[in-house]
Amino acid sequence: MKAITLFLGAFLFTTTAYAQTYDTAWVAAVEARVMASVNAGDFLTGNELCLKALDTARTRYGTESREATELMVGISDYQKFTGDFKAAEQTVMTCLNNWKRLLGDRNVKAAEALHSLGFIRFRLRQFDAVEKLYTEARQMFLDLGMSPSVPLAFLDSDVARFYESQGLFLKAEQSHLEALQTARTLPGFEPELYGILLNNVAVFYNTLQQSEQALRFQADYLTILEKIYDKNHQFYLKALVNKGTMLMEAGRHHESQHLLEYALGATRKTLPPGDVQLSFYLRSLAMLYQRTGQYEEAIRLGEESIAMLKNRYGDTYPAYSDNLTELATLLQYVSRPAEADTLLREAIRILERENRTQEIGYAYTLTSLGNLHQKEKRL
């Protein structure tokens, strides 16, 4: 069974591991329906199917059953995929406790949950907890004889991203390349999984402003995706947007604009209105327009992204406040301070209401508001 780790990854990778101990036929039927949506790029529908199946599993097999917990793992992957890391944290903690109760303190499922929790804490910038969780997960994988393995390769890749955040770039590069080597030497080597690791390496080199290296790895990733999906599939389009962003960072704005506009146009045709991926592509293209002086177009896309997120997910959705701050920064730049002030105050109100004042976005938004007022005083 193919492991698609960008969405529902742990669910799909491990459902066969304990198939003999639970309702195999029911799990397989759920998986088939979910995969039909995922392979079509419709992650939202895939998640909704998981949520409905979770209700069934809880009623039929029990709230803490293996069936219910498998589905919760898939739901947590969707929460991570859409950036809802607070919700994902609660879901994964429940999964971890369930796996330990069901299978003992040290098992593959628990190790995967520890890895997932480390990734979530990383995205929440709770760095003190990340290294401990990753170390515990890695040791558990090794104790269970899972070296080399797909889960270990992906753990090493995420460890590399943690090193990046700490400025340990040589260690990060070594971990990224070791993860690639592990994936290449695995029995039953799967190009798609290898491609995801290539993407992570490309993003790493782009962070270091090594554009040519980044673009080379991203081109290899796209080559793999082209053999698996059509060019309107969301996995392919997301990789294309990443390449467009890398081209933008390299100053190749014309090429970047072509890719970003193509990805946005294709996504508008294939995904339902309000899908979170559409918001991501709007933000990427708005950033390019801003850098190339197309300010009105950038503002229009920023406003569309904000309206879309609020209508579809509400103002509690994590990316909503980020969108407000980004658009406010642009409005301030084009001398529309009153509108910028309104957006920044709304973002601060949401972050305080949702107890997100420890996030870096909160400090950045406060700083932006202070800078706006200082500028107005000088004028």
Side-chain angles (χ1 to χ4, degrees):
M1 179 173 14
K2 183 168 288 187
I4 299 186
T5 54
L6 283 178
F7 174 72
L8 302 181
F11 170 52
L12 294 172
F13 180 70
T14 59
T15 49
T16 56
Y18 304 99
Q20 71 275 19
T21 64
Y22 63 169
D23 193 337
T24 308
W26 183 80
V27 171
V30 171
E31 178 187 315
R33 292 195 299 272
V34 171
M35 282 304 299
S37 296
V38 172
N39 285 335
D42 187 355
F43 307 121
L44 182 61
T45 298
N47 186 59
E48 289 172 349
L49 289 170
C50 268
L51 289 168
K52 290 178 182 177
L54 177 60
D55 288 338
T56 301
R58 284 172 169 168
T59 301
R60 188 180 298 177
Y61 307 103
T63 301
E64 298 179 351
S65 65
R66 291 178 180 175
E67 292 84 354
T69 307
E70 289 282 13
L71 291 162
M72 290 176 67
V73 171
I75 290 164
S76 75
D77 280 350
Y78 180 78
Q79 291 166 334
K80 289 185 289 185
F81 181 71
T82 57
D84 195 355
F85 294 107
K86 283 291 186 182
E89 182 179 32
Q90 294 301 312
T91 305
V92 172
M93 284 295 297
T94 301
C95 291
L96 178 60
N97 291 333
N98 285 358
W99 290 132
K100 287 186 174 183
R101 183 184 59 80
L102 289 164
L103 304 171
D105 286 341
R106 302 183 71 76
N107 61 81
V108 174
K109 298 281 194 174
E112 290 174 343
L114 287 167
H115 176 191
S116 181
L117 190 58
F119 174 79
I120 291 166
R121 297 275 169 81
F122 169 71
R123 295 305 299 268
L124 292 173
R125 303 186 70 81
Q126 298 173 9
F127 295 131
D128 290 345
V130 175
E131 190 166 19
K132 180 180 178 182
L133 287 164
Y134 281 166
T135 300
E136 186 177 354
R138 195 174 208 286
Q139 190 59 53
M140 196 176 294
F141 281 133
L142 293 174
D143 291 346
L144 294 166
M146 295 186 65
S147 178
S149 65
V150 170
L152 194 57
F154 277 90
L155 175 57
D156 286 342
S157 183
D158 282 342
V159 168
R161 296 163 78 180
F162 171 70
Y163 287 149
E164 289 175 43
S165 72
Q166 304 303 298
L168 303 172
F169 298 117
L170 289 177
K171 293 182 71 173
E173 184 176 35
Q174 181 181 356
S175 293
H176 273 307
L177 297 179
E178 285 176 355
L180 282 176
Q181 179 62 26
T182 298
R184 273 196 299 264
T185 58
L186 285 171
F189 168 76
E190 293 192 31
E192 184 176 7
L193 300 178
Y194 181 66
I196 296 168
L197 298 175
L198 285 172
N199 178 74
N200 291 346
V201 177
V203 172
F204 166 68
Y205 283 122
N206 192 57
T207 301
L208 296 183
Q209 298 182 330
Q210 297 181 22
S211 301
E212 294 307 314
Q213 281 279 71
L215 288 166
R216 179 170 65 83
F217 280 102
Q218 194 67 12
D220 290 345
Y221 180 39
L222 283 164
T223 298
I224 289 172
L225 292 180
E226 286 170 358
K227 297 176 181 178
I228 303 171
Y229 303 107
D230 67 54
K231 292 188 177 182
N232 288 327
H233 193 282
Q234 282 306 303
F235 286 161
Y236 181 82
L237 291 174
K238 187 168 185 178
L240 205 64
V241 168
N242 285 344
K243 182 179 179 181
T245 303
M246 292 170 191
L247 288 167
M248 176 172 56
E249 296 295 340
R252 295 160 62 177
H253 294 146
H254 179 74
E255 296 170 80
S256 174
Q257 184 168 335
H258 172 73
L259 294 184
L260 294 176
E261 288 179 342
Y262 171 82
L264 179 59
T267 302
R268 288 190 190 277
K269 294 176 184 177
T270 57
L271 290 187
D275 190 279
V276 69
Q277 282 298 101
L278 186 56
S279 171
F280 171 70
Y281 299 163
L282 287 167
R283 291 173 70 186
S284 298
L285 186 54
M287 185 184 301
L288 173 69
Y289 285 155
Q290 182 175 348
R291 290 196 180 189
T292 55
Q294 302 175 68
Y295 300 124
E296 289 306 314
E297 281 297 298
I299 291 170
R300 180 180 64 81
L301 293 181
E303 290 173 339
E304 182 181 353
S305 179
I306 287 170
M308 181 186 302
L309 288 175
K310 189 168 187 178
N311 291 337
R312 184 68 181 82
Y313 301 99
D315 68 3
T316 60
Y317 188 73
Y320 179 72
S321 57
D322 295 339
N323 273 244
L324 291 174
T325 302
E326 287 174 8
L327 181 56
T329 301
L330 175 56
L331 290 169
Q332 180 180 350
Y333 184 79
V334 297
S335 300
R336 291 164 61 174
E339 295 167 82
D341 181 88
T342 299
L343 294 180
L344 290 170
R345 290 183 185 279
E346 182 182 358
I348 290 169
R349 177 183 60 80
I350 292 168
L351 291 166
E352 290 177 344
R353 187 190 67 203
E354 299 299 315
N355 296 316
R356 294 170 55 196
T357 56
Q358 299 304 310
E359 296 181 15
I360 193 170
Y362 179 71
Y364 178 79
T365 305
L366 284 175
T367 301
S368 297
L369 185 61
N371 290 340
L372 175 64
H373 288 170
Q374 287 294 327
K375 183 178 179 180
E376 289 302 295
K377 286 180 181 179
R378 289 197 298 269
L379 295 176

